[in-house]
Each structure stands twice: as C-alpha cells, then as structure tokens.
Amino acid sequence: MNKIKLMSHLVAGYPTDQLALTAARSLIKGGADILEIQLPFSDPSADGPAIQEACTKVLERGYRTAEGLKFIETLHKEFSDVPIYLMSYGSLIYTPGIRNFCKKASEAGVKGMIIPDLPFDFDEGLTAACKEFGMENIPVAAPTMSKERLEKLANAGFKYIYAALRAGITGTNTTIDQSTLNFISNVSKGGSKVYGGFGISNGEQSEALASSVEAVVAGSVFVRLITENAGDQDKLAQAVESKAREISHL
C-alpha cells in the first residue's frame, strides 16, 4: 500500500504549548502532510468529547486567539513546506473582523481556513478575504445536505472541500461503505479536491478512503492519545507518531 496523504488535527496549546509542539513534530515525523490547527473555542459544535475537553482545558488557562496564531507561526517557521490550515468557528473570526482576522492568519503562515459553521454561500466575506491574502476557504460538505445544495457546493469553484463523512460530531467511529464513497464522489463532481474526515482512527479506514480523497483527515484519535500521554512527553511523541504512521501507511 502506498503512502496515504494525511491531514492531522491538533488543538493549539493543548495540553501545553510545548506538548502541542511535540505532538505536531511527531505527526509530521509520522507522515502528516497537512496540519489542521484548531483555535480553542468555548462551544465547538462539530467536535466530539475529546476535542471539546481539549478546548475547555486550554481556555481555562486564559488562552487567547493571538497565542494560537503565535503557535501556528512557530510551526510554520519550523516546517515551512507543510501546509497549515486553521480550523475554528464563525464568531471567533467574525468578532475581530473577518478580513482583519484573515490578514493575521496569513501572516502567521496559514494556507487555508476551515470554518464549519459558516455556510459556503453565506460566508460573511470569508472566501473573498482568503483569496485576498493568498489562502483557501475550505467549506464543509455534510451527508445531510440536500442533493441540490450539495450540487451547488460542488460546482461553486472551491479548490478544496472538506467532506464530513457522516452526520453528527467528530470522534466516534466511522464506517467507510459504498454510501460514503458515493457521497465523496458527489462532493468532487465539480472538480474540487476532497479532504475526508470525521471518525478516522486506523489504517483500514484510511486505506478504504485513499483512492477517493485528496487526503484523509484524522483528529480526535490524536487528541485522545495526547490526553492519555500528557504526563510523559516521550510517550506522547511515540504514541502520536506511531498512530500517524498507521493511518498514513508511512
């Protein structure tokens, strides 16, 4: 089996800035091609318990958006050839002004924005701001979308679309079956490259997806490993790298 392209998800600052940096390095060593960095948010509606708890713990430290962008900047300087996508929620980027936020994100090294609660056709100017500052807006397609709406998204001209492989929240196991592959096919019909995620935690799932997506996305599985090994930096690094290798078939 060839190497599978992997987008790995981390919560900025979790459980500490240093351990988050250790995890990012281990992910890249384990085969991650793209880093999706989530800015902690108090009500992460698309995220399961592992990521919700991680966000809560970081916010309890008084963590600010500026610190999250600084973390991204640190990663970008160390891994300048690894694309970094910023994942967050609409209110966090709307409050300071979307254009202003996108400018700062771009300056930190962000290459793409994933904001799941901003609809692709009512995005408050996100797509335009991303284009202005050399980033991609990566909208989210969900299996619950109507056929007509999914077709509209697929033909809206986005370079990349994030396909949430099932309804609900991240972190619970996802079965990759023919209906999943049909959904991905519909998402890609307009020519967009598709990132497929939600509940990806092992090599079998990534292998089932590999031929249908630009990259497999895994998040909660890594956040859980970070939580379980937060007391031992070496064990954390080893666990995260090993799981990344499994999912990416490195």
Side-chain angles (χ1 to χ4, degrees):
M1 182 68 191
N2 293 330
K3 162 79 171 67
I4 295 170
K5 196 168 183 180
L6 171 63
M7 182 199 300
S8 58
H9 181 109
L10 281 180
V11 176
Y14 180 73
T16 66
D17 285 331
Q18 183 55 49
L19 288 175
L21 185 57
T22 296
R25 289 169 175 157
S26 300
L27 286 167
I28 292 170
K29 192 175 178 183
D33 303 276
I34 303 165
L35 293 177
E36 180 189 8
I37 306 300
Q38 178 167 349
L39 295 185
F41 186 64
S42 57
D43 186 24
S45 56
D47 297 308
I51 293 177
Q52 287 187 28
E53 179 67 14
C55 286
T56 299
K57 293 290 187 186
V58 178
L59 290 172
E60 283 174 352
R61 302 201 327 252
Y63 202 80
R64 311 288 294 180
T65 296
E67 293 172 271
L69 291 175
K70 188 69 178 174
F71 175 68
I72 289 171
E73 184 180 356
T74 299
L75 287 177
H76 177 62
K77 285 178 178 176
E78 185 168 342
F79 303 104
S80 59
D81 57 337
V82 177
I84 297 175
Y85 296 158
L86 185 155
M87 183 266 169
S88 193
Y89 291 89
S91 65
L92 200 67
I93 68 166
Y94 183 82
T95 301
I98 285 178
R99 185 181 178 278
N100 177 48
F101 186 95
C102 285
K103 181 175 185 291
K104 289 181 178 179
S106 176
E107 289 169 350
V110 173
K111 296 300 181 189
M113 300 280 287
I114 302 171
I115 312 297
D117 60 344
L118 277 185
F120 72 94
D121 47 356
F122 293 96
D123 69 4
E124 305 291 347
L126 178 61
T127 299
C130 284
K131 187 174 182 180
E132 180 181 353
F133 296 109
M135 301 186 295
E136 299 290 339
N137 178 26
I138 304 169
V140 177
T144 51
M145 280 181 164
S146 68
K147 181 181 176 183
E148 295 75 21
R149 185 160 178 76
L150 183 57
E151 191 173 315
K152 184 180 178 184
L153 170 57
N155 290 284
F158 291 98
K159 184 175 182 180
Y160 303 109
I161 297 174
Y162 185 125
L165 300 179
R166 55 170 173 72
I169 56 175
T170 62
T172 52
N173 196 52
T174 297
T175 301
I176 310 301
D177 55 20
Q178 191 56 50
S179 65
T180 308
L181 301 180
N182 291 344
F183 170 61
I184 293 170
S185 176
N186 289 332
V187 174
S188 66
K189 275 185 177 175
S192 301
K193 296 178 180 180
V194 178
Y195 297 128
F198 261 52
I200 302 303
S201 62
N202 60 59
E204 290 75 23
Q205 290 169 306
S206 62
E207 189 171 341
L209 284 173
S211 62
S212 301
V213 298
E214 170 70 9
V216 171
V217 186
S220 291
V221 62
F222 295 124
V223 175
R224 284 194 292 267
L225 286 173
I226 291 166
T227 300
E228 290 164 9
N229 295 282
D232 188 322
Q233 181 167 295
D234 291 340
K235 280 188 177 180
L236 185 154
Q238 184 178 17
V240 169
E241 180 187 342
S242 177
K243 179 55 72 172
R245 284 181 180 275
E246 177 197 341
I247 294 173
S248 69
H249 286 243
L250 186 64

